[in-house]
Amino acid sequence: MNDWQRKSPLDWETYVNKMVKVAAIEKHEYEGWVLTVDPVSASIVLATFLENEEVSISVVLGHAVQEVEILKEGDDEMKQRLSCIFAPEESKAYSPEELEKRKNNLKTWLETNHIPVTEQGESGRTLCVAGVLTIDPPYGPEECSSSNEIILSRVQGLIQGYLEKQE
Amino acid sequence: MLVPVGVLRLPRGPEGSSRGFNPASPRFQALLGGQMTAQAVRANLRQRYLRGLGAARGRPTRFYLRAGVQVDAVFGAADVDAVAFQVDALRTPLGVQAAALLRYTDVLAYTFLLE
């Protein structure tokens, strides 16, 4: 385990959204914007924006990292751009009113089916089912998160059926 | 006759998911509050990384191995314990391997293109 791997997640987080130069073993060097650092392997995920709108992603594995030098801070625009790189594709953009309606419809449907659901988070955007599964906007099967696989697949199936009945 | 019973003191504080214990209570925060913020940061970093792995899947990737060796392959998957990568169509000097495992310890870095 090298010094980089021994850092805490809070240390690694300080490098996210910054332009860095990573010096790896065998004289390799990588430069780019830090998207994230994997807590399991301490691997650094870097993004480099090319001229033709393409993004080159480089992942330097934690065990190969010797030194990380911060070159630049990312501004808000860059942070936004970086956070969207891996974001799941949204095929439709919903307005806030539409999202609110979708959320309330889904919440009512879950309650009539005797499934405990609460609203959570800032402005109650997130639905929380039985305290173990969360649903983010736009409240489809893809937006469900849970640490319990069985509940996750059950609820995804329910929501899928519910949405199909709607259309 | 009343027999004194030893008090069992458990080393861990209350867990937030147990009935009757509140993760926002001062006792919980004092004992395990620091771990909660570190855990939230850790989970966020890991989620971004996993989404990155999802984006890499199926893309032509260049792997930089030790001793200056570079190989091209199509990214398949990475395992949860950070032990190996699974790749398809690995181009080696001996030909193209339909499927292969690359050990984490052998790989220094890998890159792929995203549109």
Side-chain angles (χ1 to χ4, degrees):
Chain A
M1 276 247 282
N2 58 33
D3 288 338
W4 175 256
Q5 286 173 305
R6 268 188 278 264
K7 284 186 189 294
S8 80
L10 295 164
D11 280 335
W12 287 325
E13 206 202 13
T14 62
Y15 291 88
V16 175
N17 292 327
K18 301 201 164 69
M19 162 76 84
V20 302
K21 186 159 73 168
V22 180
I25 59 180
E26 299 193 6
K27 296 204 183 46
H28 287 275
E29 261 189 18
Y30 298 91
E31 242 184 62
W33 294 96
V34 176
L35 283 162
T36 186
V37 178
D38 175 33
V40 172
S41 59
S43 306
I44 310 178
V45 182
L46 298 168
T48 314
F49 296 99
L50 305 173
E51 284 135 18
N52 48 358
E53 291 282 311
E54 286 185 329
V55 187
S56 165
I57 308 289
S58 305
V59 182
V60 186
L61 297 210
H63 70 86
V65 173
Q66 279 181 325
E67 211 187 289
V68 182
E69 192 192 323
I70 298 182
L71 301 174
K72 235 188 332 187
E73 288 259 352
D75 58 8
D76 286 336
E77 193 196 317
M78 181 53 72
K79 282 189 197 162
Q80 182 66 17
R81 205 171 164 194
L82 291 173
S83 65
C84 291
I85 283 186
F86 293 145
E89 285 176 19
E90 291 163 30
S91 47
K92 277 162 79 175
Y94 294 98
S95 72
E97 298 85 30
E98 280 175 350
L99 285 179
E100 187 70 24
K101 201 162 74 98
R102 277 173 80 91
K103 182 188 74 172
N104 291 330
N105 287 346
L106 182 59
K107 184 163 182 248
T108 315
W109 184 79
L110 287 170
E111 280 165 351
T112 47
N113 284 282
H114 305 293
I115 297 172
V117 56
T118 59
E119 289 180 37
Q120 251 190 14
E122 318 151 3
S123 61
R125 283 175 83 234
T126 315
L127 288 176
C128 183
V129 174
V132 289
L133 184 144
T134 59
I135 314 177
D136 286 316
Y139 312 106
E142 294 296 313
E143 286 79 47
C144 298
S145 315
S146 174
S147 53
N148 185 317
E149 301 151 359
I150 299 173
I151 294 186
L152 180 64
S153 70
R154 290 276 169 88
V155 173
Q156 280 180 323
L158 286 174
I159 296 183
Q160 181 78 9
Y162 162 73
L163 289 174
E164 277 164 12
K165 264 200 329 203
Q166 299 271 300
E167 277 139 36
Chain B
M1 192 176 121
L2 292 172
V3 178
V5 179
V7 176
L8 181 65
R9 292 212 178 274
L10 298 172
R12 296 175 62 87
E15 284 173 72
S17 51
S18 307
R19 200 173 46 170
F21 290 112
N22 180 10
S25 74
R27 183 176 166 217
F28 185 88
Q29 286 296 322
L31 270 167
L32 297 171
Q35 287 177 32
M36 294 268 278
T37 46
Q39 185 57 32
V41 166
R42 201 187 149 94
N44 193 32
L45 289 175
R46 180 71 174 165
Q47 193 188 85
R48 288 182 109 175
Y49 178 71
L50 292 174
R51 291 208 190 275
L53 286 183
R57 188 172 170 74
R59 294 193 196 271
T61 312
R62 173 158 295 182
F63 290 86
Y64 297 90
L65 308 178
R66 295 177 182 264
V69 177
Q70 293 176 21
V71 284
D72 292 330
V74 173
F75 194 90
D79 76 334
V80 70
D81 299 310
V83 169
F85 293 103
Q86 186 272 317
V87 295
D88 301 320
L90 177 72
R91 302 169 77 86
T92 72
L94 292 173
V96 178
Q97 303 291 330
L101 289 179
L102 297 172
R103 287 184 298 200
Y104 247 78
T105 46
D106 291 340
V107 179
L108 301 183
Y110 60 96
T111 74
F112 59 93
L113 272 179
L114 262 187
E115 313 84 40

